[in-house]
Amino acid sequence: MNKEQEEILKLKEEKNAVILAHNYQTAPIQEIADFLGDSLELCITASQIEDADLVVFCGVDFMAETAAILNPKKKILIPDPQAECPMAHMLPAEEVKNYKNKYPQAQVVLYVNTLAESKAEADILCTSANAVQVVESLDADQILFGPDMNLASYVQKRTDKEIIPIPEEGYCYVHKMFNIGDVTFSRENYPDAEVLVHPECDAEVQEIADHILSTGGMMRHVAGSDRKNFLIGTEVDMVTRLRRENPDKIIYPLLDEAICENMKLHNLQKVKESLQEEKFQVTVPPEIAVKARIAVERMLEVI
Ligand code: 13P
Ligand code: SF4
């Protein structure tokens, strides 16, 4: 631990705070987090926080908002309020309403990567770890699913229900960077490696991978596998966590440039200031939070 990390740990104790961090955070933040995980694991953890007075969320806006939706009485802080997920902003609530009017028979499944106002329009939420299970749990045959078109197509291949992507072409700019050439080139260089990709990658990349997994799924897969070498097709700091926790394995990124700049807005200095000054508080208007919470809790019942 460096001096700044030690100061943060001391402050954390003084303020009775917990630090939650997504797997895409840098190593210095991963090291000071009380809990590190994928979107679903972070949702579950956020829903179980009882004793802490403050929660510092090192992730993008929709993740901190979800924690605020689940804990309306707790102070949820985000070290840099500019840390937004561009994909979440591709599906405004108005657009969800328009689609609902166009397809009145359909049920609405929204990826947790959405704005709170849009979540309030959903029947249920999902993450990349449980999207198929969530869709299968519904009694409708037609599903409005957004905003990630690649996750939508991943689900479509695994269900008989009709999946209608909303918007038609929502995407994550980080996972869009991967192409078939990255997989074939890397396989030539590392023929023994297993290729794991995230379902936000394009369909043709998913098709030639060995496994398609959420970031939490990647953690479990690598830890439980007899294989030694892995190529990871998601944000580069996933490799940081996999290497830290699996020192006996050889883990390479599929693409060094796959960096989520939005996640990287957080750093130790900002985490320290967030704790010291109790900023920046994430709040969701109560009328939106109440509706969004129903959709989040419904997902947590299905898992
Ligand atoms: P996970 O839920 O798999 O961690 O993914 C979150 C995310 O933002 C992927 O880009
Ligand atoms: Fe959003 Fe993509 Fe960053 Fe995930 S990696 S937070 S989906 S921009």
Side-chain angles (χ1 to χ4, degrees), residues 22-24 37-40 62-63 111 113 127-128 172 175 198 200 214-216 263:
H22 185 263
N23 290 326
Y24 296 164
D38 71 5
S39 309
L40 179 60
F62 73 81
M63 297 177 176
Y111 196 21
N113 303 42
T127 74
S128 56
C172 160
H175 290 89
H198 196 274
E200 287 176 17
S214 72
T215 64
M263 286 273 187

Side-chain angles (χ1 to χ4, degrees), residues 109-179:
V109 179
L110 293 189
Y111 196 21
V112 71
N113 303 42
T114 41
L115 308 170
E117 307 87 87
S118 302
K119 284 186 175 72
E121 295 299 323
D123 290 299
I124 187 165
L125 295 192
C126 74
T127 74
S128 56
N130 63 13
V132 177
Q133 275 167 280
V134 165
V135 164
E136 285 293 304
S137 75
L138 301 174
D139 52 20
D141 292 329
Q142 205 175 43
I143 308 291
L144 294 170
F145 189 101
D148 187 43
M149 62 181 252
N150 288 333
L151 184 62
S153 94
Y154 168 87
V155 174
Q156 184 62 88
K157 289 186 185 126
R158 290 160 179 81
T159 181
D160 292 334
K161 297 182 193 288
E162 182 192 1
I163 305 293
I164 302 166
I166 61 168
E168 263 174 58
E169 293 191 352
Y171 66 92
C172 160
Y173 74 97
V174 181
H175 290 89
K176 264 264 169 251
M177 291 181 201
F178 295 93
N179 59 46

